[in-house]
Amino acid sequence: MKSRPSVILEYSLYLRLKQLHLQEQVYHELCGDKYRAKRFFYTLSRDSRTPARVTSAYTHAQIGAMAQNRAEEDEFINKAPLQESRETEEERKRKEEDFGYGLYPERSGSGSRFKQGSIGESLFTFRHKCHIMLQVAMDTSPYAKLLLGAMKSSGCTVHKDRHFSCEDCDGTVSGGFDAATSQIVLCQNNIHQQAHMNRVVTHELIHAFDHCRARVDWFNSFRHLACSEIRAANLSGDCSFVNEISRFNFGLKEHHQACVRGRALRSILAVRKVSREEAELVVDEVFDSCFHDHAPFGRIPHNKKDAKFAYRDYENRDRYYANL
């Protein structure tokens, strides 16, 4: 049986160790410097109320544990950003490779050579001209006006400054729809005529309309992408008689269908790393249903006149019910 003084001594040692444990936050600040920690515990060991052997053992154990924790923490802090940046870089490369972001340098991280809004941008880029032609298209093109009205009715109001972006692109594309940001990209270095701007705006607005009205899985479903490309080629005027003549493409029987199929296939191959055979298979699989989906035009607007009639019908769509 232990004597009363020994019990009191052990209890006092327990209280002292508990007090030291409560001071963990204090010496945690000191453990960043190993020598400061040693000085701290040396001063503590001179306290007459703390036995030297207990303090010495506790000091060495805590210094070793804190030094190890500090080393692990520093290693984590130094490695975490590198690992995160490496994953971000790999994700960006995969995004460019799989989804066609490499065709749009300003969206793939390389950026523009000129600061936005600078004098160099005004003098050496086509951004100002691009914005002017975009505004003309939104104000005068019956295709664009109908699509903008339909998206507004669907709860997806389009704002010029938010949903359109004039950028420099690869020479093989004129525009694109970025589903990740819900933005339409207009390639200012490849669009130089108002008629071309009207077609590009209409084509990309059809993608935006599909994005608004349906749950389109742009990044994982080839069927969804192919369907939207078929609709855009069919309804935007890309395959109008005048445009086909300018491309020296002639045909009599089902030439419009062949044009839509070919341009949809071309668009898919531009933004996805798939074989031509696989793309043709997907296009053929969804062609009939998507080709006959004319929303919101209600018909195939083969030319500007058809588009005006479609826009007039769209504007008057509620008049019959209002007169009942």
Side-chain angles (χ1 to χ4, degrees):
M1 184 175 179
K2 295 183 179 180
S3 63
R4 183 176 181 83
S6 62
V7 173
I8 296 175
L9 177 61
E10 289 184 359
Y11 183 70
S12 64
L13 292 178
Y14 166 76
L15 293 179
R16 187 56 178 163
L17 290 175
K18 184 177 181 181
Q19 181 182 2
L20 290 173
H21 181 70
L22 293 177
Q23 293 175 348
E24 180 178 359
Q25 184 176 2
V26 176
Y27 58 69
H28 185 273
E29 299 291 336
L30 300 173
C31 71
D33 189 342
K34 183 177 180 180
Y35 298 101
R36 290 180 61 192
K38 285 185 176 181
R39 289 196 301 268
F40 170 74
F41 284 110
Y42 175 75
T43 303
L44 185 65
S45 65
R46 294 176 65 89
D47 191 346
S48 58
R49 291 172 297 177
T50 306
R53 58 182 182 86
V54 175
T55 306
S56 178
Y58 190 77
T59 299
H60 285 84
Q62 287 296 336
I63 288 179
M66 288 188 298
Q68 183 178 0
N69 294 337
R70 184 69 178 187
E72 293 177 355
E73 182 180 355
D74 291 342
E75 183 178 2
F76 174 77
I77 293 175
N78 292 331
K79 285 187 176 181
L82 295 178
Q83 183 178 2
E84 182 179 356
S85 62
R86 190 181 302 112
E87 292 177 356
T88 305
E89 184 72 15
E90 292 176 357
E91 182 180 355
R92 184 179 65 82
K93 287 183 178 180
R94 182 181 61 82
K95 190 177 181 182
E96 293 178 22
E97 181 180 359
D98 295 344
F99 307 130
Y101 280 88
L103 300 174
Y104 309 96
E106 295 188 27
R107 299 195 163 246
S108 61
S110 57
S112 176
R113 292 180 299 171
F114 304 100
K115 184 178 179 181
Q116 187 172 1
S118 64
I119 298 178
E121 181 188 52
S122 302
L123 295 177
F124 300 106
T125 68
F126 300 97
R127 197 178 301 269
H128 182 63
K129 180 182 178 181
C130 174
H131 282 290
I132 293 177
M133 290 194 296
L134 169 61
Q135 188 63 54
V136 172
M138 296 176 66
D139 292 340
T140 62
S141 172
Y143 294 90
K145 291 166 67 175
L146 191 154
L147 287 163
L148 291 171
M151 292 187 65
K152 184 176 181 180
S153 299
S154 300
C156 302
T157 304
V158 177
H159 302 281
K160 177 184 173 183
D161 295 334
R162 164 63 181 85
H163 296 105
F164 289 94
S165 177
C166 292
E167 301 176 5
D168 288 331
C169 310
D170 185 85
T172 59
V173 293
S174 298
F177 176 70
D178 188 356
T181 59
S182 298
Q183 273 192 327
I184 292 174
V185 181
L186 302 173
C187 299
Q188 60 192 14
N189 56 321
N190 299 328
I191 304 175
H192 304 294
Q193 296 179 353
Q194 186 62 49
H196 189 192
M197 172 65 78
N198 294 348
R199 291 198 306 272
V200 174
V201 169
T202 302
H203 184 108
E204 304 307 335
L205 278 175
I206 293 173
H207 291 319
F209 176 77
D210 291 342
H211 185 69
C212 171
R213 69 164 182 165
R215 295 180 178 179
V216 181
D217 190 355
W218 299 98
F219 302 109
N220 300 313
S221 176
F222 282 150
R223 291 166 56 88
H224 291 183
L225 174 65
C227 186
S228 187
E229 291 294 351
I230 291 170
R231 281 177 31 80
N234 186 29
L235 303 175
S236 64
D238 287 343
C239 291
S240 66
F241 179 76
V242 175
N243 289 332
E244 283 295 275
I245 291 295
S246 65
R247 301 183 190 116
F248 299 101
N249 293 331
F250 306 95
L252 296 176
K253 186 178 181 180
E254 295 185 348
H255 179 72
H256 181 74
Q257 288 88 331
C259 174
V260 170
R261 191 186 303 269
R263 295 192 70 80
L265 183 63
R266 179 183 174 184
S267 297
I268 294 173
L269 292 176
V271 298
R272 294 293 186 274
K273 300 296 183 182
V274 296
S275 64
R276 187 176 184 87
E277 292 75 16
E278 184 179 358
E280 289 177 347
L281 184 64
V282 175
V283 169
D284 292 340
E285 186 178 352
V286 301
F287 185 82
D288 289 337
S289 59
C290 299
F291 181 81
H292 293 94
D293 181 5
H294 302 152
F297 293 90
R299 68 185 81 184
I300 299 177
H302 291 284
N303 49 47
K304 193 173 182 178
K305 185 177 180 179
D306 287 345
K308 287 182 178 180
F309 282 125
Y311 179 64
R312 183 195 63 184
D313 293 343
Y314 177 80
E315 287 291 299
N316 299 330
R317 65 191 183 282
D318 297 328
R319 181 172 297 180
Y320 172 79
Y321 299 100
N323 293 331
L324 291 179

